[in-house]
Structure formats: structure tokens, C-alpha cells
């Protein structure tokens, strides 16, 4: 592969809108293991949130995808590959990016913890309001000259 072709492929995978319209690959081989990537991503995305039991699996999948992306990018940058192999690698990198975007955009992973935090914030605001209403807010009282 010529150097200018290599640069074009690298530019293509790093382009900001590269994943627009791109499909998540049906399957992908990561570290010698074939994974049904599209099925996995759609199965996780179908839910409102990532269940507690699935969180570790999703995080591990994202780490593996990032690692695979780097390896494939390095193969384009430094590998002794043909133009066709480079095109195939670039397409797979864009597909990996699309899958990562989908997995990264998942909603909150722990609704119970988020709900508790909201309740605590509400309680804090309510107590602050009551203190002010009852004239017990010392900072406010000293500003009024009491």
C-alpha cells in the first residue's frame, strides 16, 4: 500500500462523522474469538438501562472493542498490508466505533443509586427551605442584621 493511501484510510477512520450511516458488524473476531457484535449491542440497547448483572459484561466488551480498534488502527498505520486489506480494516474500525458509540450512550446503569441520590438532594433542599422559612438560616440572619 502506498503511503498516501494509508493516510487516506487513517483520515477516513478518524473523521468526526465517520460512523454516520455505518452499520455495526454482524460478527467480529476479537483475540481469536468470534463475537455476535450486532446482536450483543442491540440486546443491551433494547433495555432502558444496563442491569446490574450485565454491567461488567458491557464494560469488558467496551474495553475489548477499544483494544481491538487500536490493534486494527496500528495495522493500517504500520502494517505490511494491501489496499484491500486496509479498506477492510478501516470499515471494521468504523463498525467498532459505531458499536462503541451505541454502548457508550446507554442510560444510567444504576437506577436505584440515582433515585437515592435524588431523594437525598430533595431532602437537603427541603431542609434548607424550612430553615430559611423559620429564620434558622444563620448566614441569612447575619446578613439581615439580626
Amino acid at each position: 500500500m502506498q503511503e498516501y493511501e494509508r493516510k487516506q484510510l487513517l483520515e477516513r477512520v478518524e473523521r468526526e462523522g465517520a460512523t454516520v450511516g455505518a452499520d455495526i458488524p454482524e460478527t467480529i473476531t476479537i483475540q481469536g474469538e468470534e463475537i455476535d457484535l450486532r446482536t450483543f449491542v442491540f440486546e443491551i440497547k433494547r433495555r432502558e438501562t444496563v442491569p446490574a448483572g450485565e454491567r461488567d459484561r458491557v464494560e469488558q466488551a467496551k474495553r475489548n472493542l477499544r483494544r481491538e480498534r487500536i490493534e486494527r488502527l496500528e495495522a493500517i498505520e504500520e502494517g505490511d498490508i494491501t489496499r484491500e486489506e486496509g479498506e477492510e480494516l478501516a470499515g471494521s474500525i468504523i463498525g467498532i466505533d459505531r458499536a462503541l458509540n451505541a454502548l457508550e450512550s446507554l442510560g444510567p446503569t444504576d437506577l436505584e443509586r440515582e433515585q437515592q441520590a435524588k431523594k437525598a438532594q430533595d431532602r437537603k433542599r427541603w431542609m434548607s427551605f424550612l430553615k430559611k422559612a423559620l429564620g434558622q438560616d444563620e448566614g441569612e440572619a447575619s446578613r439581615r442584621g439580626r
Side-chain angles (χ1 to χ4, degrees):
M1 175 181 341
Q2 300 292 323
E3 196 57 37
Y4 76 92
E5 293 172 320
R6 193 179 306 271
K7 285 182 182 180
Q8 285 176 337
L9 289 175
L10 291 170
E11 197 174 285
R12 181 174 140 207
V13 298
E14 296 299 334
R15 195 174 304 135
E16 193 169 316
T19 61
V20 174
D23 289 329
I24 296 172
E26 189 71 41
T27 60
I28 189 166
T29 304
I30 296 179
Q31 299 172 351
E33 184 181 341
E34 191 166 300
I35 297 167
D36 294 328
L37 185 60
R38 186 178 301 164
T39 303
F40 173 74
V41 171
F42 287 138
E43 171 189 317
I44 297 299
K45 286 283 288 181
R46 184 171 34 111
R47 303 174 184 151
E48 294 280 321
T49 61
V50 180
E54 295 286 315
R55 249 180 261 138
D56 290 337
R57 185 173 154 215
V58 170
E59 290 303 316
Q60 183 63 44
K62 290 193 292 191
R63 281 191 296 274
N64 289 341
L65 286 169
R66 285 186 200 105
R67 191 176 309 122
E68 187 65 27
R69 183 192 193 282
I70 291 169
E71 288 176 14
R72 291 176 187 215
L73 194 61
E74 287 173 352
I76 293 175
E77 290 173 338
E78 303 161 5
D80 184 23
I81 57 174
T82 65
R83 172 75 180 178
E84 291 76 28
E85 291 168 330
E87 288 284 346
E88 190 175 310
L89 283 170
S92 69
I93 290 170
I94 291 169
I96 289 171
D97 287 345
R98 178 73 178 86
L100 280 169
N101 288 343
L103 292 173
E104 294 288 347
S105 69
L106 293 173
T109 56
D110 194 343
L111 285 180
E112 190 173 310
R113 190 178 311 146
E114 185 178 311
Q115 195 172 33
Q116 288 173 349
K118 283 183 180 182
K119 282 182 180 179
Q121 288 174 345
D122 287 345
R123 248 182 272 129
K124 195 173 185 179
R125 281 193 298 271
W126 179 243
M127 292 304 293
S128 176
F129 169 77
L130 286 176
K131 283 180 180 180
K132 284 181 184 178
L134 297 173
Q136 295 177 356
D137 187 8
E138 293 176 20
E140 190 67 30
S142 64
R143 279 185 251 146
R144 284 192 236 154
R146 288 189 182 167

